[in-house]
Amino acid sequence: KRLKIPFHVRASKAKNAIASKLFNLMESKQSTICLAADLTKADAVIELADLTGPHIVLFKTHVDILEDFSNDFIKRLKELAKKHNFLIMEDRKFADIGNTVSLQYEKGIYKIAEWADIVTVHAIAGQSIIDGLKNGLQKISESRGLFILAEMSSKGALTIGEYALGAVTIAQSSDMVAGIVCQSNIFSNLGLVQLTPGVKLSQGSDNTGQQYNTPEFVVNSGADLAVVGRGIIEAEDKLAATLEYKEKLWTAYLKRISD
Ligand code: BMP
Protein backbone atom coordinates (compact mmCIF):
# COMPACT_ATOMS: atom_id res chain seq x y z
CA LYS A 1 0.00 0.00 0.00
CA ARG A 2 2.81 2.45 0.88
CA LEU A 3 4.07 2.17 -2.70
CA LYS A 4 0.86 3.63 -4.10
CA ILE A 5 0.69 6.74 -1.92
CA PRO A 6 2.15 9.97 -3.37
CA PHE A 7 4.99 11.69 -1.55
CA HIS A 8 3.01 14.82 -0.62
CA VAL A 9 0.49 12.66 1.28
CA ARG A 10 3.27 10.72 2.99
CA ALA A 11 4.92 14.02 4.01
CA SER A 12 1.93 14.66 6.26
CA LYS A 13 2.22 11.19 7.84
CA ALA A 14 5.87 11.56 8.85
CA LYS A 15 6.66 11.89 12.55
CA ASN A 16 10.17 13.11 11.82
CA ALA A 17 10.51 16.65 10.43
CA ILE A 18 13.40 15.68 8.15
CA ALA A 19 11.39 12.81 6.63
CA SER A 20 8.57 15.21 5.89
CA LYS A 21 11.05 17.64 4.34
CA LEU A 22 12.50 14.87 2.15
CA PHE A 23 9.07 13.85 0.84
CA ASN A 24 8.24 17.48 0.01
CA LEU A 25 11.61 18.06 -1.64
CA MET A 26 11.20 14.91 -3.78
CA GLU A 27 7.83 16.16 -4.92
CA SER A 28 8.91 19.74 -5.65
CA LYS A 29 12.22 18.86 -7.36
CA GLN A 30 10.71 15.80 -9.08
CA SER A 31 13.84 13.98 -8.04
CA THR A 32 14.46 10.92 -5.89
CA ILE A 33 18.24 10.94 -6.12
CA CYS A 34 20.49 10.57 -3.10
CA LEU A 35 23.93 11.20 -4.56
CA ALA A 36 26.78 9.21 -3.02
CA ALA A 37 29.69 11.66 -3.21
CA ASP A 38 32.42 9.08 -2.72
CA LEU A 39 35.35 11.27 -3.75
CA THR A 40 38.49 11.85 -1.69
CA LYS A 41 39.26 15.54 -2.32
CA ALA A 42 37.18 18.29 -0.73
CA ASP A 43 37.21 20.50 -3.85
CA ALA A 44 35.92 17.63 -5.99
CA VAL A 45 33.05 16.98 -3.57
CA ILE A 46 32.16 20.68 -3.52
CA GLU A 47 32.26 20.88 -7.31
CA LEU A 48 29.99 17.82 -7.55
CA ALA A 49 27.53 19.35 -5.07
CA ASP A 50 27.34 22.58 -7.05
CA LEU A 51 26.86 20.74 -10.36
CA THR A 52 24.24 18.20 -9.25
CA GLY A 53 22.64 20.15 -6.39
CA PRO A 54 19.61 21.47 -8.33
CA HIS A 55 18.66 17.92 -9.38
CA ILE A 56 19.09 15.90 -6.20
CA VAL A 57 17.37 15.93 -2.80
CA LEU A 58 20.01 14.31 -0.62
CA PHE A 59 23.80 14.59 -0.77
CA LYS A 60 25.46 11.61 0.91
CA THR A 61 28.96 11.97 2.31
CA HIS A 62 31.62 9.69 3.81
CA VAL A 63 33.71 12.44 5.42
CA ASP A 64 36.29 9.95 6.67
CA ILE A 65 37.47 9.26 3.09
CA LEU A 66 38.44 12.91 2.52
CA GLU A 67 42.19 13.52 2.45
CA ASP A 68 41.79 17.22 3.15
CA PHE A 69 38.79 17.54 5.45
CA SER A 70 38.42 20.96 7.07
CA ASN A 71 35.75 23.06 8.72
CA ASP A 72 35.83 25.21 5.61
CA PHE A 73 34.69 22.19 3.57
CA ILE A 74 31.61 21.88 5.79
CA LYS A 75 30.94 25.61 5.51
CA ARG A 76 31.06 25.46 1.69
CA LEU A 77 28.90 22.32 1.55
CA LYS A 78 26.28 23.88 3.84
CA GLU A 79 26.21 26.99 1.62
CA LEU A 80 25.55 24.83 -1.44
CA ALA A 81 22.86 22.85 0.39
CA LYS A 82 21.09 26.13 1.03
CA LYS A 83 21.65 27.48 -2.49
CA HIS A 84 20.38 24.33 -4.25
CA ASN A 85 17.93 23.15 -1.58
CA PHE A 86 19.20 19.68 -0.72
CA LEU A 87 19.83 17.91 2.58
CA ILE A 88 23.11 16.38 3.73
CA MET A 89 23.47 12.82 5.02
CA GLU A 90 26.72 11.61 6.56
CA ASP A 91 26.75 7.87 5.90
CA ARG A 92 28.53 7.13 9.20
CA LYS A 93 26.80 3.81 9.89
CA PHE A 94 27.03 4.15 13.67
CA ALA A 95 27.10 0.72 15.31
CA ASP A 96 28.35 0.98 18.90
CA ILE A 97 26.86 1.34 22.40
CA GLY A 98 24.89 4.52 23.19
CA ASN A 99 27.67 6.31 25.07
CA THR A 100 30.22 5.73 22.31
CA VAL A 101 27.97 6.76 19.43
CA SER A 102 26.98 9.88 21.34
CA LEU A 103 30.67 10.88 21.43
CA GLN A 104 31.27 9.85 17.81
CA TYR A 105 28.29 11.93 16.71
CA GLU A 106 29.08 15.10 18.64
CA LYS A 107 32.85 15.16 19.14
CA GLY A 108 36.12 14.34 17.36
CA ILE A 109 37.39 16.04 14.23
CA TYR A 110 34.16 15.84 12.26
CA LYS A 111 31.53 17.05 14.78
CA ILE A 112 28.90 15.35 12.59
CA ALA A 113 25.93 16.39 14.74
CA GLU A 114 26.63 20.06 13.97
CA TRP A 115 26.18 19.82 10.21
CA ALA A 116 24.60 16.54 9.00
CA ASP A 117 20.82 16.73 8.63
CA ILE A 118 20.79 12.93 8.63
CA VAL A 119 23.12 10.11 9.69
CA THR A 120 22.93 6.37 9.05
CA VAL A 121 22.80 3.83 11.88
CA HIS A 122 23.17 0.05 12.04
CA ALA A 123 20.55 -1.76 14.12
CA ILE A 124 23.04 -4.35 15.44
CA ALA A 125 23.46 -2.65 18.84
CA GLY A 126 19.70 -2.49 19.49
CA GLN A 127 17.23 0.28 20.28
CA SER A 128 19.56 2.01 22.76
CA ILE A 129 21.75 3.31 19.94
CA ILE A 130 18.98 5.80 19.12
CA ASP A 131 18.99 7.13 22.69
CA GLY A 132 22.77 7.47 22.44
CA LEU A 133 22.49 9.53 19.27
CA LYS A 134 19.79 11.68 20.85
CA ASN A 135 22.27 12.43 23.64
CA GLY A 136 24.72 13.75 21.08
CA LEU A 137 22.18 16.37 20.00
CA GLN A 138 21.81 18.25 23.27
CA LYS A 139 23.40 21.45 21.90
CA ILE A 140 21.78 21.23 18.45
CA SER A 141 18.66 23.26 17.74
CA GLU A 142 17.97 22.19 14.09
CA SER A 143 15.91 19.12 13.15
CA ARG A 144 17.85 15.91 12.70
CA GLY A 145 16.95 12.49 11.29
CA LEU A 146 18.32 8.96 11.28
CA PHE A 147 18.23 6.25 8.63
CA ILE A 148 18.36 2.74 10.08
CA LEU A 149 20.04 0.04 7.98
CA ALA A 150 17.80 -3.02 7.68
CA GLU A 151 19.20 -4.69 4.55
CA MET A 152 22.55 -4.13 2.83
CA SER A 153 23.18 -4.30 -0.90
CA SER A 154 26.39 -6.31 -0.79
CA LYS A 155 26.69 -9.96 -1.71
CA GLY A 156 26.35 -12.29 1.28
CA ALA A 157 25.15 -9.53 3.65
CA LEU A 158 23.98 -10.92 7.01
CA THR A 159 21.13 -8.40 7.16
CA ILE A 160 18.43 -10.95 6.39
CA GLY A 161 15.37 -12.56 7.99
CA GLU A 162 14.83 -11.78 11.67
CA TYR A 163 17.63 -9.22 11.67
CA ALA A 164 16.02 -7.11 8.97
CA LEU A 165 12.60 -7.32 10.63
CA GLY A 166 14.12 -6.37 13.99
CA ALA A 167 15.76 -3.36 12.37
CA VAL A 168 12.37 -2.26 11.01
CA THR A 169 10.86 -2.56 14.51
CA ILE A 170 13.65 -0.37 15.91
CA ALA A 171 13.14 2.15 13.10
CA GLN A 172 9.44 2.43 13.95
CA SER A 173 10.12 3.00 17.63
CA SER A 174 11.38 6.57 17.54
CA ASP A 175 10.40 9.88 15.93
CA MET A 176 14.12 10.52 15.39
CA VAL A 177 14.01 8.00 12.53
CA ALA A 178 13.38 9.45 9.07
CA GLY A 179 13.69 6.24 7.11
CA ILE A 180 15.06 2.79 6.46
CA VAL A 181 17.95 1.67 4.24
CA CYS A 182 16.84 -1.55 2.56
CA GLN A 183 16.58 -3.44 -0.70
CA SER A 184 12.95 -4.57 -0.61
CA ASN A 185 9.49 -3.50 0.48
CA ILE A 186 9.80 -4.64 4.11
CA PHE A 187 7.83 -1.96 5.95
CA SER A 188 4.43 -0.32 5.60
CA ASN A 189 4.77 2.86 7.68
CA LEU A 190 3.77 5.71 5.32
CA GLY A 191 5.84 8.30 7.13
CA LEU A 192 9.21 6.59 6.68
CA VAL A 193 11.41 7.00 3.60
CA GLN A 194 12.86 3.88 1.92
CA LEU A 195 16.43 4.57 0.81
CA THR A 196 17.90 1.97 -1.54
CA PRO A 197 21.58 1.82 -2.57
CA GLY A 198 23.04 -0.34 -5.32
CA VAL A 199 21.52 1.46 -8.31
CA LYS A 200 22.88 1.62 -11.86
CA LEU A 201 21.40 1.86 -15.33
CA SER A 202 22.05 -1.83 -15.86
CA GLN A 203 21.98 -4.68 -13.36
CA GLY A 204 25.36 -6.11 -12.29
CA SER A 205 28.07 -5.94 -9.65
CA ASP A 206 31.48 -4.42 -8.95
CA ASN A 207 34.52 -6.51 -7.99
CA THR A 208 34.11 -6.01 -4.24
CA GLY A 209 30.61 -7.38 -3.68
CA GLN A 210 28.38 -4.42 -4.50
CA GLN A 211 25.22 -5.54 -6.34
CA TYR A 212 23.34 -3.21 -8.68
CA ASN A 213 19.72 -3.04 -9.81
CA THR A 214 18.11 -0.68 -12.30
CA PRO A 215 16.17 2.48 -11.33
CA GLU A 216 12.89 0.87 -12.36
CA PHE A 217 13.60 -2.31 -10.37
CA VAL A 218 14.46 -0.50 -7.13
CA VAL A 219 11.46 1.83 -7.35
CA ASN A 220 9.19 -1.19 -7.79
CA SER A 221 10.94 -2.77 -4.80
CA GLY A 222 9.82 0.18 -2.69
CA ALA A 223 12.68 2.66 -3.05
CA ASP A 224 11.55 6.22 -2.41
CA LEU A 225 15.07 7.63 -2.57
CA ALA A 226 17.69 5.85 -4.68
CA VAL A 227 21.38 6.10 -3.83
CA VAL A 228 23.49 6.60 -6.94
CA GLY A 229 27.26 6.87 -6.61
CA ARG A 230 29.58 5.59 -9.32
CA GLY A 231 26.76 5.58 -11.88
CA ILE A 232 27.08 9.37 -11.75
CA ILE A 233 30.50 10.22 -10.36
CA GLU A 234 32.34 7.99 -12.83
CA ALA A 235 30.32 9.19 -15.81
CA GLU A 236 32.12 11.30 -18.37
CA ASP A 237 29.31 13.85 -18.23
CA LYS A 238 28.14 13.89 -14.59
CA LEU A 239 25.35 16.38 -15.15
CA ALA A 240 23.89 14.39 -18.06
CA ALA A 241 24.11 11.20 -15.98
CA THR A 242 22.35 12.89 -13.04
CA LEU A 243 19.54 14.03 -15.32
CA GLU A 244 19.21 10.56 -16.84
CA TYR A 245 18.90 8.86 -13.41
CA LYS A 246 16.53 11.59 -12.25
CA GLU A 247 14.25 11.08 -15.22
CA LYS A 248 14.29 7.27 -15.06
CA LEU A 249 13.61 7.21 -11.31
CA TRP A 250 10.86 9.81 -11.47
CA THR A 251 9.11 8.08 -14.37
CA ALA A 252 9.21 4.80 -12.43
CA TYR A 253 7.75 6.54 -9.35
CA LEU A 254 4.90 8.09 -11.35
CA LYS A 255 4.16 4.68 -12.85
CA ARG A 256 4.27 3.06 -9.40
CA ILE A 257 1.67 5.40 -7.89
CA SER A 258 -0.60 5.30 -10.95
CA ASP A 259 -0.64 1.60 -11.90
P1 BMP B 1 27.85 3.10 -5.60
O1 BMP B 1 26.54 3.54 -6.29
O2 BMP B 1 29.05 3.80 -6.18
O3 BMP B 1 28.02 1.62 -5.51
O4 BMP B 1 27.78 3.67 -4.10
C1 BMP B 1 26.85 3.20 -3.17
C2 BMP B 1 26.92 4.00 -1.89
O5 BMP B 1 25.90 3.53 -1.01
C3 BMP B 1 28.23 3.90 -1.14
O6 BMP B 1 28.53 5.17 -0.59
C4 BMP B 1 27.94 2.92 0.00
O7 BMP B 1 28.66 3.22 1.17
C5 BMP B 1 26.46 3.08 0.23
N1 BMP B 1 25.73 1.84 0.65
C6 BMP B 1 25.67 0.72 -0.16
O8 BMP B 1 26.24 0.69 -1.26
N2 BMP B 1 24.98 -0.40 0.28
C7 BMP B 1 24.33 -0.45 1.47
O9 BMP B 1 23.69 -1.44 1.78
C8 BMP B 1 24.38 0.70 2.29
C9 BMP B 1 25.08 1.84 1.86
O10 BMP B 1 25.10 2.91 2.62
Side-chain angles (χ1 to χ4, degrees), residues 73-244:
F73 163 75
I74 295 299
K75 191 167 161 265
R76 288 156 74 202
L77 186 59
K78 290 298 270 184
E79 280 165 11
L80 290 175
K82 205 167 172 194
K83 176 179 168 196
H84 296 307
N85 205 12
F86 61 76
L87 296 179
I88 301 170
M89 178 165 84
E90 166 55 21
D91 192 3
R92 175 61 180 75
K93 298 192 178 74
F94 291 104
D96 216 314
I97 59 165
N99 184 61
T100 301
V101 295
S102 166
L103 293 167
Q104 289 171 323
Y105 192 20
E106 191 187 3
K107 307 284 187 184
I109 294 170
Y110 302 119
K111 301 187 180 15
I112 297 167
E114 288 182 11
W115 53 267
D117 301 295
I118 304 170
V119 293
T120 53
V121 185
H122 278 300
I124 185 84
Q127 155 71 37
S128 56
I129 197 168
I130 296 179
D131 304 326
L133 290 165
K134 235 179 204 160
N135 256 339
L137 287 177
Q138 281 167 13
K139 296 192 195 96
I140 308 296
S141 53
E142 295 101 337
S143 306
R144 293 290 184 247
L146 310 177
F147 269 82
I148 305 288
L149 278 98
E151 291 173 325
M152 291 198 72
S153 60
S154 44
K155 190 167 191 285
L158 303 178
T159 49
I160 51 174
E162 295 277 306
Y163 180 91
L165 296 179
V168 169
T169 304
I170 288 174
Q172 286 172 332
S173 71
S174 165
D175 62 6
M176 243 200 112
V177 178
I180 297 179
V181 182
C182 59
Q183 294 292 313
S184 60
N185 180 16
I186 51 169
F187 68 94
S188 54
N189 189 322
L190 294 180
L192 292 174
V193 178
Q194 176 174 331
L195 179 78
T196 300
V199 183
K200 263 202 171 172
L201 293 178
S202 51
Q203 205 195 27
S205 56
D206 70 3
N207 56 14
T208 49
Q210 174 69 302
Q211 303 177 118
Y212 290 111
N213 288 300
T214 63
E216 191 177 28
F217 182 91
V218 298
V219 169
N220 290 331
S221 305
D224 299 313
L225 271 172
V227 178
V228 185
R230 284 165 285 178
I232 288 173
I233 64 178
E234 288 182 354
E236 213 160 296
D237 185 340
K238 296 181 183 56
L239 181 59
T242 305
L243 294 172
E244 186 174 7

